Structure formats: structure tokens, C-alpha cells
Amino acid sequence: METTKCVIISSNKESQLELQLPKNHTRDVHILSLAFLLIFLAYGAAQNLQSTLNTEENLGTTSLGILYLSFTFFSVFASLVVRILGSKNALIIGTSGYWFYVAANLKPSWYTLVPASLYLGFCASIIWVGQGTYLTSTARSYAADNNLHEGAIIGDFNGEFWALFALHQVIGNLITFALLRNNQVGSIKGTTLLFVVFLSVMTFGAILMCFLRKRSSNKTREYKNLGTDIDASESSSLKSLCRSLKSSFSDANMLLIIPLIAYSGLQAAFVWAEFTKYVVTPAIGVSGVGIAMAAYGAFDGIAIVLILLLLDFSIAKGLLGTSYIIFMAALLGVGDGILATQLSVLLAILFKHDTEGAFAQLKIWQSATIAMVFFLAPHISFQTFVVIMLVSLCLTLCSFLWLTIKVGKTPSSSTGKLKGLS
């Protein structure tokens, strides 16, 4: 009896302590956004250079293909790993893969980039599922504590994250342009210095992750409320996850979102591999990749760019040509920024019952599409790729319109959840 009282008293004290702690949710959003900015400004710039720097036997594009193939495979288990580790620990561990990949570029070879790519595939799967889970959990807690509309807060928090995240292309690629503007590729004043600077920035980003507050997902809180042993529940999580993935093929909402997810991956891979290699580099050089991708990130219009690329872009000479390239990169960035934000909000609202699973599927389909592009890119022409992009864009638009009509026909209580998208 005394033991029971002690447990109750201890539990009450812990609950009171939690209530007394400040719940500054916006602080965590700021830290998460800044940490991702620092990590991805380095990784994003390094990735953009793979098809132009590591060209021997297509080492750069092949390593990226391996990376995203690994990403696809590990994304199947990512939600399970995040549930076991917790979203904060998943975020911290996930940063290590990006650090090792950039470090491998100091001595690029099949023996350094391929293992780094495989490991990064695992780290990327858990860091992005962790990011989606952590941000959604923070938004829901903030909405509950302040009696605000959940959908609107999820949209606001995602908007802040993706707006700051888009700057990684601007800052990282401007650093690339500054250090490679004299085309001193491979020298201590060129790529070596560039990657050393990037590693220093990423280290600071990883340290920032440690200052995030720990948060529990909806399922973890449910287990606690029901008095269920969390360790025991994790043993059946894999079966639950497999059922979730299988059920997605009978979930009309997910089936309609998948083309949107796949197109987002197709567009990203097109910019990283094809656009930088066949449009930017021949026109304004390797250092021009930095300035063009900075414009891409600054605006982070797709159809008009694809149509322009089907035409002759030999105009790309001198100041006028450089402006033309930067203009197309900026338009591509507009579409990417809108797509990233809306996808995250859609998944958070429509799949509230399984946030980890939804964000895991986001990365499964995205990374599978990206991996396919990197492996096929050396074997198909640039013009063919642009035509594939246009067809995919049309199919994606039809799918999204169908989803909009379907959601619009749901009861008003469900439709109200989507106000955060507007």
C-alpha cells in the first residue's frame, strides 16, 4: 500500500513538474529549421556538384543513385526506427550520415562515396521521418495548449520550416560560387576548402539538434495513457508498419497523393542531375552551378520551364544567357518550394492516425523516383527526360485535382481540417 502511494506521489510530482516547465513550442521549430538549414546547405551544394565534379565512370550520379536506392529501402523501416529511438534521437543520429557523405568528397572514389551513400540512405530515412513527426507533434501540442486550429498551426509551422529550409540552396550554392569562381577545382583553394567549410557548418547544425526538447508521437502517448508496455508494443510495430504500407494501396487519399510525391522526387532529381550538367555547366561553367542553384533555392511555374528547355537554349552565352539560366532555375525553385510545403501539410492532416507511416511513405516514393532517375540519366537523352517530366506533370495535376474533389465531398468536419492548406 505504501509503495502504491509513493508511486502515485512520484507520478503526481512528475506531472506537476512537466506542467511547470515552459512549453515554448516555437523555440523548437526555430531550432529545427536552423539546424536543417546548416546541415543541408552543405549537403545540397555537394549533391549539386556530383554530376559535374565526379564524372569519372559516372561516379557522382551513380553514388547518388545508390544513395536514394538505400534511402528507399530503409524508408520502409524508418517509422519503426523513429518510434524506437524517438524523433529527437533520430534527428541527431540522422545528421551523421550527411556529415560522412560530405567528408567522403574530400577523397572521392568508389571506396569512399559508395559506403557513405549507403549509410546516408539509412540516416536520411530516419531524419526525414523524424522531422515530419517532430514538427507535426510540436504543432499539435502548440494548438492544444493555445486552443488554436490544428490544421492552421501545422500549415504555419511547415511554412516556417520549408521557407528557412529553402535558403539552404541559396547560401550553400553562393558559398560554392565564391570558392569555385576561379575554377580552381581540386586545389586546396577549390573543392577541398569548400568541403572543409561545409563540414564545419554541418558540425554546428548537429550540435543545435541536441537542444531540441524530446517529444512523444501520438502512438507513444496512447501506449502511456493505456498503461501499455512500450517495449512490448514495439515488438509488433513492424507488423503494424507492414499493414500500414499494404493498406496504403487501398487508401484512395494515399493513392492520389503518390503521383504528387513521385513527381516531387522526379523534379528534384532532374534539377540535381540533368539541369546542372546539360544546361548550367556548358553555359556558365562549374562555378555557375552555384549561382544557378542559389536562384533555384531563392524561389524554391514548372511547365513553362520544361517547354523552354525543349527549345534550343544555345542563347546561353554572356550576360543575357546567364540571366536566362538563372531565370529558369528560379522558376523551378518556385514549384519545388510550394510542393514541399503542401505535401507535408497534406500528409499531416489526412493521416493524423499514423504520422510516422505517412512521412515514411513520402520518402519511400520520393527516394525511389530519385534513384531511378540517377540510374537512368546516363542512358536517356536530355530532351527525352524533359518530355517525361511534362507527361508526369500532367498526370500529377489530374491526380491532385481528383484528390481535391474527393476531399471536398467529405463531411464538413473533415473538410475543416484542410483549412490550414489555404
Side-chain angles (χ1 to χ4, degrees):
M1 188 68 177
E2 292 296 327
T3 305
T4 304
K5 289 181 179 179
C6 290
V7 171
I8 294 173
I9 292 171
S10 176
S11 177
N12 289 337
K13 286 183 177 179
E14 289 177 1
S15 300
Q16 291 173 2
L17 182 60
E18 288 181 0
L19 290 172
Q20 291 171 358
L21 291 174
K23 293 183 178 180
N24 192 353
H25 304 291
T26 55
R27 166 192 174 275
D28 289 331
V29 178
H30 301 333
I31 291 176
L32 182 68
S33 303
L34 182 57
F36 266 73
L37 170 63
L38 294 175
I39 291 163
F40 280 87
L41 72 84
Y43 168 71
Q47 179 178 248
N48 293 336
L49 292 170
Q50 292 305 307
S51 63
T52 53
L53 288 184
N54 300 321
T55 56
E56 186 177 354
E57 297 181 349
N58 292 316
L59 172 61
T61 53
T62 302
S63 69
L64 288 174
I66 293 171
L67 189 164
Y68 284 98
L69 196 61
S70 172
F71 193 172
T72 304
F73 173 76
F74 285 113
S75 291
V76 175
F77 310 99
S79 64
L80 171 62
V81 175
V82 172
R83 288 173 195 172
I84 294 173
L85 294 176
S87 54
K88 176 183 175 179
N89 291 333
L91 289 167
I92 294 172
I93 294 172
T95 61
S96 65
Y98 292 91
W99 197 96
F100 282 118
Y101 183 83
V102 172
N105 278 273
L106 290 171
K107 191 74 173 178
S109 71
W110 293 100
Y111 300 104
T112 56
L113 277 179
V114 171
S117 296
L118 288 169
Y119 179 60
L120 177 52
F122 165 73
C123 290
S125 69
I126 63 172
I127 198 174
W128 280 111
V129 174
Q131 178 272 335
T133 303
Y134 190 92
L135 195 62
T136 302
S137 174
T138 304
R140 286 174 178 157
S141 297
Y142 183 81
D145 292 345
N146 295 277
N147 197 27
L148 298 172
H149 190 278
E150 186 178 281
I153 299 301
I154 290 174
D156 291 343
F157 280 16
N158 273 281
E160 176 183 335
F161 175 85
W162 289 108
L164 197 58
F165 181 79
L167 292 177
H168 83 274
Q169 289 283 8
V170 181
I171 301 172
N173 288 294
L174 285 178
I175 293 173
T176 298
F177 176 71
L179 295 180
L180 299 183
R181 65 184 182 278
N182 295 322
N183 290 322
Q184 295 171 309
V185 179
S187 69
I188 188 63
K189 295 182 180 180
T191 55
T192 303
L193 177 59
L194 177 68
F195 291 125
V196 168
V197 170
F198 282 161
L199 287 172
S200 301
V201 173
M202 294 176 84
T203 301
F204 183 57
I207 293 172
L208 268 182
M209 289 283 196
C210 299
F211 289 93
L212 291 170
R213 292 185 177 88
K214 285 190 175 182
R215 294 186 180 276
S216 300
S217 67
N218 285 348
K219 291 196 173 185
T220 303
R221 285 194 291 269
E222 287 172 7
Y223 293 143
K224 287 180 178 178
N225 291 337
L226 294 171
T228 306
D229 184 354
I230 297 177
D231 291 332
S233 68
E234 286 169 355
S235 64
S236 61
S237 290
L238 185 57
K239 292 181 180 179
S240 175
L241 177 60
C242 291
R243 285 195 299 270
S244 175
L245 291 172
K246 184 178 179 180
S247 65
S248 68
F249 291 100
S250 60
D251 187 318
N253 287 341
M254 180 57 77
L255 287 174
L256 291 172
I257 291 175
I258 284 174
L260 195 64
I261 295 173
Y263 180 78
S264 69
L266 187 65
Q267 179 196 314
F270 170 77
V271 173
W272 299 333
E274 301 290 290
F275 185 72
T276 56
K277 183 177 182 179
Y278 293 106
V279 180
V280 180
T281 303
I284 52 180
V286 174
S287 62
V289 173
I291 195 67
M293 295 306 291
Y296 170 79
F299 290 86
D300 212 16
I302 302 301
I304 188 172
V305 179
L306 297 175
I307 293 171
L308 287 172
L309 289 174
L310 281 175
L311 304 176
D312 182 16
F313 50 83
S314 58
I315 186 177
K317 293 179 181 178
L319 180 60
L320 179 61
T322 301
S323 302
Y324 178 61
I325 297 297
I326 293 174
F327 170 71
M328 286 194 292
L331 286 182
L332 285 168
V334 170
D336 182 67
I338 294 171
L339 202 55
T341 303
Q342 294 304 309
L343 270 176
S344 295
V345 176
L346 267 174
L347 292 173
I349 292 176
L350 295 179
F351 300 95
K352 182 178 178 180
H353 59 285
D354 187 12
T355 306
E356 296 98 332
F359 282 101
Q361 291 203 54
L362 169 65
K363 292 307 171 182
I364 287 173
W365 294 105
Q366 274 186 339
S367 54
T369 308
I370 293 171
M372 179 184 67
V373 170
F374 282 125
F375 282 123
L376 293 179
H379 308 291
I380 59 176
S381 68
F382 177 76
Q383 300 294 331
T384 301
F385 200 104
V386 175
V387 172
I388 293 172
M389 289 280 292
L390 276 170
V391 173
S392 301
L393 178 60
C394 292
L395 293 175
T396 300
L397 180 60
C398 293
S399 176
F400 184 71
L401 289 175
W402 190 0
L403 175 65
T404 303
I405 294 171
K406 182 180 181 300
V407 172
K409 290 180 179 179
T410 58
S412 57
S413 59
S414 299
T415 308
K417 296 179 182 179
L418 296 178
K419 290 181 179 179
L421 291 173
S422 59

Short mmCIF file of all heavy atoms in Angstrom, two decimals, residues 68-108:
data_model
loop_
_atom_site.label_atom_id
_atom_site.label_comp_id
_atom_site.label_asym_id
_atom_site.label_seq_id
_atom_site.Cartn_x
_atom_site.Cartn_y
_atom_site.Cartn_z
N TYR A 68 19.95 7.03 -53.01
CA TYR A 68 18.50 7.09 -52.97
C TYR A 68 17.86 5.71 -53.05
O TYR A 68 16.72 5.52 -52.61
CB TYR A 68 17.98 8.03 -54.06
CG TYR A 68 18.18 9.47 -53.66
CD1 TYR A 68 19.27 10.20 -54.13
CD2 TYR A 68 17.32 10.09 -52.76
CE1 TYR A 68 19.49 11.51 -53.73
CE2 TYR A 68 17.52 11.40 -52.35
CZ TYR A 68 18.61 12.10 -52.84
OH TYR A 68 18.82 13.39 -52.42
N LEU A 69 18.57 4.73 -53.60
CA LEU A 69 18.09 3.36 -53.54
C LEU A 69 18.13 2.86 -52.10
O LEU A 69 17.19 2.22 -51.61
CB LEU A 69 18.95 2.46 -54.43
CG LEU A 69 18.38 1.08 -54.80
CD1 LEU A 69 17.08 1.23 -55.57
CD2 LEU A 69 19.40 0.30 -55.62
N SER A 70 19.22 3.19 -51.41
CA SER A 70 19.35 2.85 -49.99
C SER A 70 18.27 3.59 -49.17
O SER A 70 17.67 3.03 -48.26
CB SER A 70 20.75 3.23 -49.49
OG SER A 70 20.86 3.11 -48.10
N PHE A 71 18.06 4.84 -49.53
CA PHE A 71 17.04 5.67 -48.89
C PHE A 71 15.67 5.01 -49.02
O PHE A 71 14.89 4.92 -48.05
CB PHE A 71 17.05 7.04 -49.56
CG PHE A 71 16.30 8.13 -48.84
CD1 PHE A 71 16.39 9.45 -49.27
CD2 PHE A 71 15.50 7.86 -47.74
CE1 PHE A 71 15.71 10.47 -48.62
CE2 PHE A 71 14.81 8.87 -47.08
CZ PHE A 71 14.92 10.18 -47.53
N THR A 72 15.36 4.52 -50.22
CA THR A 72 14.08 3.86 -50.46
C THR A 72 13.92 2.63 -49.58
O THR A 72 12.87 2.42 -48.95
CB THR A 72 13.98 3.43 -51.94
OG1 THR A 72 14.15 4.58 -52.78
CG2 THR A 72 12.63 2.80 -52.23
N PHE A 73 14.96 1.80 -49.54
CA PHE A 73 14.89 0.56 -48.77
C PHE A 73 14.70 0.84 -47.28
O PHE A 73 13.81 0.27 -46.64
CB PHE A 73 16.17 -0.25 -48.98
CG PHE A 73 16.28 -1.47 -48.10
CD1 PHE A 73 15.55 -2.62 -48.37
CD2 PHE A 73 17.10 -1.46 -46.97
CE1 PHE A 73 15.63 -3.74 -47.56
CE2 PHE A 73 17.19 -2.57 -46.16
CZ PHE A 73 16.45 -3.72 -46.45
N PHE A 74 15.50 1.73 -46.73
CA PHE A 74 15.43 1.99 -45.29
C PHE A 74 14.19 2.78 -44.89
O PHE A 74 13.79 2.73 -43.72
CB PHE A 74 16.70 2.70 -44.82
CG PHE A 74 17.91 1.81 -44.73
CD1 PHE A 74 18.98 2.00 -45.59
CD2 PHE A 74 17.96 0.77 -43.81
CE1 PHE A 74 20.10 1.17 -45.53
CE2 PHE A 74 19.08 -0.06 -43.73
CZ PHE A 74 20.14 0.14 -44.60
N SER A 75 13.58 3.49 -45.84
CA SER A 75 12.36 4.22 -45.52
C SER A 75 11.23 3.29 -45.12
O SER A 75 10.30 3.69 -44.41
CB SER A 75 11.93 5.08 -46.71
OG SER A 75 12.84 6.14 -46.93
N VAL A 76 11.28 2.04 -45.61
CA VAL A 76 10.26 1.05 -45.25
C VAL A 76 10.26 0.81 -43.74
O VAL A 76 9.21 0.60 -43.13
CB VAL A 76 10.49 -0.27 -46.00
CG1 VAL A 76 9.51 -1.34 -45.55
CG2 VAL A 76 10.39 -0.04 -47.51
N PHE A 77 11.45 0.87 -43.13
CA PHE A 77 11.58 0.59 -41.70
C PHE A 77 11.78 1.86 -40.87
O PHE A 77 11.93 1.79 -39.66
CB PHE A 77 12.77 -0.35 -41.46
CG PHE A 77 12.78 -1.56 -42.34
CD1 PHE A 77 13.56 -1.60 -43.49
CD2 PHE A 77 11.99 -2.65 -42.04
CE1 PHE A 77 13.57 -2.71 -44.32
CE2 PHE A 77 11.98 -3.77 -42.87
CZ PHE A 77 12.77 -3.80 -44.01
N ALA A 78 11.80 3.01 -41.54
CA ALA A 78 12.14 4.25 -40.85
C ALA A 78 11.19 4.60 -39.72
O ALA A 78 11.61 5.02 -38.64
CB ALA A 78 12.22 5.40 -41.85
N SER A 79 9.87 4.43 -39.95
CA SER A 79 8.91 4.80 -38.91
C SER A 79 9.09 3.94 -37.67
O SER A 79 8.94 4.41 -36.54
CB SER A 79 7.48 4.69 -39.44
OG SER A 79 7.16 3.37 -39.78
N LEU A 80 9.43 2.65 -37.88
CA LEU A 80 9.70 1.76 -36.75
C LEU A 80 10.92 2.23 -35.96
O LEU A 80 10.90 2.29 -34.72
CB LEU A 80 9.92 0.33 -37.25
CG LEU A 80 10.41 -0.70 -36.21
CD1 LEU A 80 9.38 -0.87 -35.10
CD2 LEU A 80 10.69 -2.04 -36.88
N VAL A 81 11.98 2.60 -36.68
CA VAL A 81 13.21 3.07 -36.04
C VAL A 81 12.95 4.35 -35.26
O VAL A 81 13.42 4.51 -34.12
CB VAL A 81 14.32 3.28 -37.08
CG1 VAL A 81 15.57 3.88 -36.42
CG2 VAL A 81 14.67 1.98 -37.77
N VAL A 82 12.17 5.26 -35.86
CA VAL A 82 11.87 6.53 -35.19
C VAL A 82 11.04 6.31 -33.93
O VAL A 82 11.23 6.97 -32.91
CB VAL A 82 11.17 7.50 -36.16
CG1 VAL A 82 10.66 8.74 -35.43
CG2 VAL A 82 12.11 7.90 -37.28
N ARG A 83 10.10 5.35 -33.98
CA ARG A 83 9.30 5.05 -32.79
C ARG A 83 10.17 4.51 -31.67
O ARG A 83 9.93 4.78 -30.50
CB ARG A 83 8.21 4.04 -33.15
CG ARG A 83 7.09 4.61 -34.00
CD ARG A 83 6.14 3.52 -34.46
NE ARG A 83 5.28 3.98 -35.55
CZ ARG A 83 4.46 3.21 -36.23
NH1 ARG A 83 4.37 1.92 -35.93
NH2 ARG A 83 3.73 3.70 -37.20
N ILE A 84 11.18 3.72 -32.02
CA ILE A 84 12.06 3.14 -31.01
C ILE A 84 13.01 4.18 -30.45
O ILE A 84 13.19 4.31 -29.23
CB ILE A 84 12.84 1.95 -31.60
CG1 ILE A 84 11.89 0.81 -31.96
CG2 ILE A 84 13.91 1.46 -30.62
CD1 ILE A 84 12.55 -0.33 -32.71
N LEU A 85 13.64 4.96 -31.34
CA LEU A 85 14.63 5.94 -30.91
C LEU A 85 14.01 7.20 -30.33
O LEU A 85 14.59 7.84 -29.45
CB LEU A 85 15.52 6.34 -32.10
CG LEU A 85 16.43 5.28 -32.72
CD1 LEU A 85 17.15 5.86 -33.94
CD2 LEU A 85 17.46 4.79 -31.69
N GLY A 86 12.83 7.55 -30.83
CA GLY A 86 12.26 8.85 -30.51
C GLY A 86 12.68 9.82 -31.61
O GLY A 86 13.77 9.68 -32.19
N SER A 87 11.84 10.80 -31.92
CA SER A 87 12.12 11.68 -33.05
C SER A 87 13.38 12.52 -32.84
O SER A 87 14.15 12.74 -33.78
CB SER A 87 10.93 12.60 -33.32
OG SER A 87 10.54 13.30 -32.16
N LYS A 88 13.65 12.97 -31.60
CA LYS A 88 14.84 13.78 -31.37
C LYS A 88 16.11 12.97 -31.60
O LYS A 88 17.04 13.42 -32.29
CB LYS A 88 14.84 14.32 -29.93
CG LYS A 88 16.12 15.10 -29.61
CD LYS A 88 16.16 15.59 -28.18
CE LYS A 88 17.50 16.25 -27.89
NZ LYS A 88 17.57 16.76 -26.49
N ASN A 89 16.20 11.76 -31.05
CA ASN A 89 17.39 10.93 -31.24
C ASN A 89 17.57 10.55 -32.71
O ASN A 89 18.70 10.47 -33.21
CB ASN A 89 17.29 9.66 -30.39
CG ASN A 89 17.40 9.96 -28.91
OD1 ASN A 89 18.01 10.95 -28.51
ND2 ASN A 89 16.80 9.12 -28.08
N ALA A 90 16.46 10.32 -33.41
CA ALA A 90 16.53 10.01 -34.84
C ALA A 90 17.12 11.19 -35.61
O ALA A 90 17.91 11.00 -36.54
CB ALA A 90 15.15 9.66 -35.37
N LEU A 91 16.73 12.40 -35.24
CA LEU A 91 17.26 13.59 -35.89
C LEU A 91 18.76 13.73 -35.66
O LEU A 91 19.53 14.04 -36.58
CB LEU A 91 16.54 14.84 -35.37
CG LEU A 91 15.08 15.01 -35.80
CD1 LEU A 91 14.39 16.09 -34.98
CD2 LEU A 91 15.00 15.33 -37.29
N ILE A 92 19.20 13.49 -34.43
CA ILE A 92 20.62 13.63 -34.11
C ILE A 92 21.46 12.58 -34.85
O ILE A 92 22.49 12.90 -35.45
CB ILE A 92 20.84 13.53 -32.58
CG1 ILE A 92 20.18 14.72 -31.88
CG2 ILE A 92 22.33 13.48 -32.25
CD1 ILE A 92 20.16 14.62 -30.37
N ILE A 93 21.02 11.33 -34.80
CA ILE A 93 21.75 10.25 -35.48
C ILE A 93 21.74 10.48 -36.99
O ILE A 93 22.73 10.24 -37.68
CB ILE A 93 21.15 8.88 -35.13
CG1 ILE A 93 21.35 8.57 -33.65
CG2 ILE A 93 21.76 7.77 -35.99
CD1 ILE A 93 20.63 7.33 -33.16
N GLY A 94 20.62 10.96 -37.51
CA GLY A 94 20.50 11.18 -38.94
C GLY A 94 21.50 12.17 -39.50
O GLY A 94 21.94 12.04 -40.65
N THR A 95 21.91 13.15 -38.70
CA THR A 95 22.87 14.15 -39.19
C THR A 95 24.23 13.54 -39.50
O THR A 95 24.95 14.06 -40.36
CB THR A 95 23.07 15.27 -38.15
OG1 THR A 95 23.58 14.71 -36.93
CG2 THR A 95 21.77 15.98 -37.84
N SER A 96 24.58 12.44 -38.83
CA SER A 96 25.91 11.86 -39.02
C SER A 96 26.12 11.37 -40.46
O SER A 96 27.22 11.46 -41.01
CB SER A 96 26.13 10.69 -38.04
OG SER A 96 25.23 9.62 -38.30
N GLY A 97 25.06 10.85 -41.09
CA GLY A 97 25.18 10.36 -42.46
C GLY A 97 25.54 11.47 -43.44
O GLY A 97 26.36 11.27 -44.35
N TYR A 98 24.94 12.63 -43.26
CA TYR A 98 25.22 13.77 -44.14
C TYR A 98 26.66 14.24 -43.94
O TYR A 98 27.35 14.63 -44.90
CB TYR A 98 24.23 14.90 -43.87
CG TYR A 98 22.83 14.55 -44.28
CD1 TYR A 98 21.94 13.95 -43.39
CD2 TYR A 98 22.39 14.78 -45.58
CE1 TYR A 98 20.65 13.60 -43.77
CE2 TYR A 98 21.10 14.43 -45.97
CZ TYR A 98 20.24 13.84 -45.07
OH TYR A 98 18.97 13.48 -45.46
N TRP A 99 27.12 14.23 -42.70
CA TRP A 99 28.48 14.65 -42.39
C TRP A 99 29.50 13.72 -43.08
O TRP A 99 30.45 14.19 -43.71
CB TRP A 99 28.69 14.64 -40.87
CG TRP A 99 29.90 15.42 -40.42
CD1 TRP A 99 29.93 16.71 -39.98
CD2 TRP A 99 31.25 14.93 -40.35
NE1 TRP A 99 31.22 17.06 -39.64
CE2 TRP A 99 32.04 15.99 -39.86
CE3 TRP A 99 31.87 13.72 -40.64
CZ2 TRP A 99 33.42 15.87 -39.66
CZ3 TRP A 99 33.24 13.60 -40.46
CH2 TRP A 99 34.00 14.66 -39.97
N PHE A 100 29.28 12.41 -42.96
CA PHE A 100 30.21 11.46 -43.56
C PHE A 100 30.18 11.52 -45.09
O PHE A 100 31.21 11.33 -45.75
CB PHE A 100 29.91 10.04 -43.09
CG PHE A 100 30.40 9.75 -41.70
CD1 PHE A 100 29.50 9.42 -40.69
CD2 PHE A 100 31.75 9.81 -41.40
CE1 PHE A 100 29.95 9.17 -39.41
CE2 PHE A 100 32.21 9.55 -40.12
CZ PHE A 100 31.32 9.23 -39.11
N TYR A 101 29.02 11.81 -45.68
CA TYR A 101 28.95 11.89 -47.14
C TYR A 101 29.76 13.07 -47.66
O TYR A 101 30.50 12.95 -48.64
CB TYR A 101 27.49 12.01 -47.59
CG TYR A 101 27.35 12.03 -49.09
CD1 TYR A 101 27.34 10.84 -49.83
CD2 TYR A 101 27.24 13.23 -49.79
CE1 TYR A 101 27.22 10.85 -51.21
CE2 TYR A 101 27.12 13.25 -51.17
CZ TYR A 101 27.12 12.06 -51.87
OH TYR A 101 27.01 12.08 -53.24
N VAL A 102 29.61 14.23 -47.01
CA VAL A 102 30.38 15.41 -47.43
C VAL A 102 31.87 15.16 -47.20
O VAL A 102 32.71 15.53 -48.03
CB VAL A 102 29.90 16.67 -46.68
CG1 VAL A 102 30.81 17.85 -46.96
CG2 VAL A 102 28.46 17.00 -47.08
N ALA A 103 32.22 14.50 -46.09
CA ALA A 103 33.62 14.18 -45.81
C ALA A 103 34.20 13.26 -46.88
O ALA A 103 35.37 13.39 -47.26
CB ALA A 103 33.74 13.53 -44.43
N ALA A 104 33.39 12.34 -47.39
CA ALA A 104 33.85 11.41 -48.43
C ALA A 104 34.24 12.15 -49.71
O ALA A 104 35.07 11.67 -50.49
CB ALA A 104 32.77 10.38 -48.74
N ASN A 105 33.69 13.34 -49.92
CA ASN A 105 34.02 14.12 -51.11
C ASN A 105 35.40 14.76 -51.04
O ASN A 105 35.89 15.29 -52.04
CB ASN A 105 32.96 15.20 -51.34
CG ASN A 105 31.73 14.66 -52.04
OD1 ASN A 105 31.67 14.62 -53.26
ND2 ASN A 105 30.74 14.23 -51.25
N LEU A 106 36.03 14.72 -49.87
CA LEU A 106 37.41 15.18 -49.78
C LEU A 106 38.35 14.24 -50.52
O LEU A 106 39.40 14.64 -51.00
CB LEU A 106 37.82 15.30 -48.30
CG LEU A 106 37.17 16.43 -47.51
CD1 LEU A 106 37.51 16.29 -46.02
CD2 LEU A 106 37.63 17.79 -48.03
N LYS A 107 37.96 12.97 -50.60
CA LYS A 107 38.74 11.95 -51.31
C LYS A 107 37.76 11.08 -52.09
O LYS A 107 37.53 9.91 -51.76
CB LYS A 107 39.52 11.11 -50.29
CG LYS A 107 40.57 10.19 -50.90
CD LYS A 107 41.79 10.94 -51.38
CE LYS A 107 42.87 9.95 -51.81
NZ LYS A 107 44.06 10.66 -52.33
N PRO A 108 37.15 11.62 -53.14
CA PRO A 108 36.09 10.88 -53.83
C PRO A 108 36.59 9.66 -54.61
O PRO A 108 37.51 9.77 -55.42
CB PRO A 108 35.50 11.93 -54.78
CG PRO A 108 36.61 12.90 -55.01
CD PRO A 108 37.38 12.94 -53.73
#
